[in-house]
Amino acid sequence: MSHKRMPRRKAAMAVGGVAALGAAAFLLPHASASQDAGQDGRAPGGTGTGTGTARTLRATDAPDLDARLRKLLGDAFAGSYYDSGRQQLVVNVVSGDDNVIVQAKKAGAVVRQVANSAAELRAAARTLKTRAAIPGTSWAVDPRTDKILVTADSTVTGAAWDRLRSAVRGLGPGMATLKKSAGTFKTFASGGDAIFSQAQGGGVRCSLGFNVTAADGSPAFLTAGHCGVAAEKWSDTQTGEPIATVDRATFPGEGDFSLVKYDDPGTRAPSEVDAGDGRTVPINGAAEATVGQSVFRMGSTTGLHDGRVTGLDATVNFQSETDPGGVDTVTGLIQTDVCAEPGDSGGPLFTQDGGALGLTSGGSGDCTGGGETFFQPVTTALRATGATLGGGAGGAGGGEDDQAGAGDQSGSGSGSDSGSDSGSGFGSDSGFGSGSGDEAGAADDGSSALTGTR
């Protein structure tokens, strides 16, 4: 037991079996290589300005610099991403005040001039939502290319593919890139520590994401919204009695998150992630994701895996769970190249130094062939529910009651609507094709505190 609920009768037993992460490395098979911009700081469609006075910073510091640059650049800001090779933040700008751009360089960023503004990319995303909300599609702004990356899974064929391709072409040249995924977008229901429930049609299995304190002070946890919609009562064993009840669930729509309150107000809910083999990662606060950032995902089905953030404010269009001809669209998600499989839904996305980033939503592929996975930002879920990270009323769980940051998502510079996933997936370990994901790096800042497998 680690990041799931710990009744008093189990707490003493669990403490002895948990090893603190400290400076020890996870010795998993390999860590992936990064794919960043070229040596001059450029990316396709952009004009590099050179590194200039850009400063070296950790990925965890990139969101703070990004937030300052958004305010400084105003309408000239067109997104940013973290170059893990150089450990620098690259910021995109469109035509603007040269003096402001000079100030951005002095602030410590690599400044890159691009063609598409954040407003233009947001408008293009809205057009896609109107013309291309097709089950099995997704889109998110990619600041590295200054375009919208549109992805279609293996179910998008024939007339649906023609419709999607026409919508992308209609955005105009240089606005979007279209690619095919070998897998199928679906929710990864079934998942850090597993949680179980019974619902109409059979059993449901998901993952506990992060323990929190609800607004009324009671102990609770966050998991995926499609899990909370599927079932109300949850247990920590497959055949055990329920130990928690859904208080709020959002899916589909503006997010995929649930707040689930422990039934026992004395439950100890430590703020940590179970990394397997008795190891834990203390969670010290909620953080915003940054494009290019190395991240880790834990799930009860596939264990610990790593990759990179590839987009923010992503839209995913899943086949509706209730309407065979309908679509469930979820917005505001984090897009990554981390793999996941059924059973991983709701599980935690986090950084090597204990920053809580997201909750596993859905995606395509598997952890053999690779794939892409979308995550609900934790900061959004905390703001919506009024919860805070950390142990509940039961007392010391090993974490502080950290309030979620209130800043905007950093990295994309554009707010595109995000989508949902397709397929039932609930309680099932089958039905997933081979995914197609790019390799991603493991350590943003040269540290080897964590390594994972794709």
Side-chain angles (χ1 to χ4, degrees):
M1 301 283 288
S2 60
H3 71 278
K4 64 181 173 184
R5 84 84 155 98
M6 300 177 69
R8 288 177 178 137
R9 66 178 181 275
K10 294 185 180 180
M13 296 173 60
V15 169
V18 172
L21 176 63
F26 285 112
L27 300 179
L28 297 182
H30 76 277
S32 314
S34 72
Q35 292 188 346
D36 296 306
Q39 293 300 309
D40 62 355
R42 302 181 186 181
T47 302
T49 63
T51 57
T53 57
R55 65 185 176 89
T56 299
L57 73 164
R58 298 179 302 172
T60 51
D61 296 327
D64 291 336
L65 179 56
D66 173 271
R68 286 195 286 130
L69 291 172
R70 286 173 184 268
K71 294 179 180 179
L72 179 65
L73 293 170
D75 292 340
F77 181 87
S80 72
Y81 64 92
Y82 182 71
D83 182 335
S84 62
R86 293 184 172 184
Q87 299 178 28
Q88 294 172 335
L89 185 71
V90 180
V91 60
N92 295 338
V93 298
V94 292
S95 298
D97 187 341
D98 288 342
N99 182 54
V100 173
I101 294 175
V102 170
Q103 292 182 50
K105 291 182 180 180
K106 290 182 178 180
V110 176
V111 179
R112 189 179 72 132
Q113 294 185 348
V114 297
N116 298 321
S117 68
E120 289 171 330
L121 292 170
R122 283 194 297 267
R126 288 193 295 269
T127 298
L128 288 173
K129 184 178 180 180
T130 301
R131 300 179 181 176
I134 302 166
T137 62
S138 71
W139 51 82
V141 172
D142 182 0
R144 293 163 300 187
T145 62
D146 188 42
K147 296 179 182 179
I148 294 177
L149 175 60
V150 182
T151 305
D153 73 12
S154 59
T155 67
V156 182
T157 59
W161 171 256
D162 292 341
R163 176 183 163 194
L164 178 63
R165 186 166 54 179
S166 176
V168 171
R169 288 176 176 172
L171 298 176
M175 286 299 296
T177 301
L178 178 61
K179 77 166 188 174
K180 264 280 196 179
S181 172
T184 301
F185 290 155
K186 56 186 67 184
T187 47
F188 291 132
S190 231
D193 284 343
I195 52 175
F196 304 87
S197 188
Q198 295 296 317
Q200 185 176 6
V204 182
R205 178 182 176 182
C206 286
S207 302
L208 190 153
F210 298 99
N211 279 316
V212 297
T213 301
D216 63 1
S218 61
F221 63 83
L222 295 175
T223 189
H226 62 266
C227 299
V229 169
E232 181 183 13
K233 297 286 187 178
W234 291 86
S235 173
D236 57 354
T237 62
Q238 192 162 6
T239 58
E241 292 296 318
I243 56 128
T245 303
V246 173
D247 181 74
R248 172 175 176 174
T250 298
F251 178 87
E254 297 181 359
D256 183 5
F257 60 89
S258 293
L259 176 68
V260 187
K261 291 184 177 180
Y262 291 107
D263 296 334
D264 179 0
T267 297
R268 298 184 65 186
S271 188
E272 60 193 25
V273 167
D274 180 357
D277 297 327
R279 298 164 299 185
T280 63
V281 179
I283 296 300
N284 51 46
E288 304 284 357
T290 303
V291 171
Q293 178 181 20
S294 283
V295 291
F296 294 85
R297 177 200 59 76
M298 186 63 190
S300 65
T301 298
T302 58
L304 183 69
H305 288 268
D306 74 304
R308 289 195 182 278
V309 175
T310 58
L312 300 178
D313 296 326
T315 295
V316 189
N317 299 292
F318 299 109
Q319 179 67 51
S320 174
E321 296 284 342
T322 57
D323 179 5
V327 58
D328 286 339
T329 299
V330 179
T331 63
L333 304 182
I334 301 167
Q335 184 169 347
T336 76
D337 61 9
V338 186
C339 71
E341 295 183 11
D344 292 332
S345 272
L349 180 75
F350 58 99
T351 63
Q352 63 180 6
D353 60 351
L357 296 179
L359 308 166
T360 307
S361 176
S364 67
D366 56 32
C367 289
T368 299
E372 53 216 344
T373 304
F374 299 89
F375 297 84
Q376 163 67 49
V378 166
T379 51
T380 304
L382 292 174
R383 284 193 293 265
T385 61
T388 54
L389 281 172
E400 298 178 1
D401 294 343
D402 296 316
Q403 190 73 35
D408 295 332
Q409 294 282 23
S410 63
S412 76
S414 162
S416 65
D417 295 315
S418 336
S420 137
D421 48 71
S422 65
S424 62
F426 291 118
S428 170
D429 290 335
S430 61
F432 282 74
S434 60
S436 59
D438 298 327
E439 290 298 319
D444 300 320
D445 54 5
S447 167
S448 60
L450 285 174
T451 57
T453 58
R454 287 297 314 280

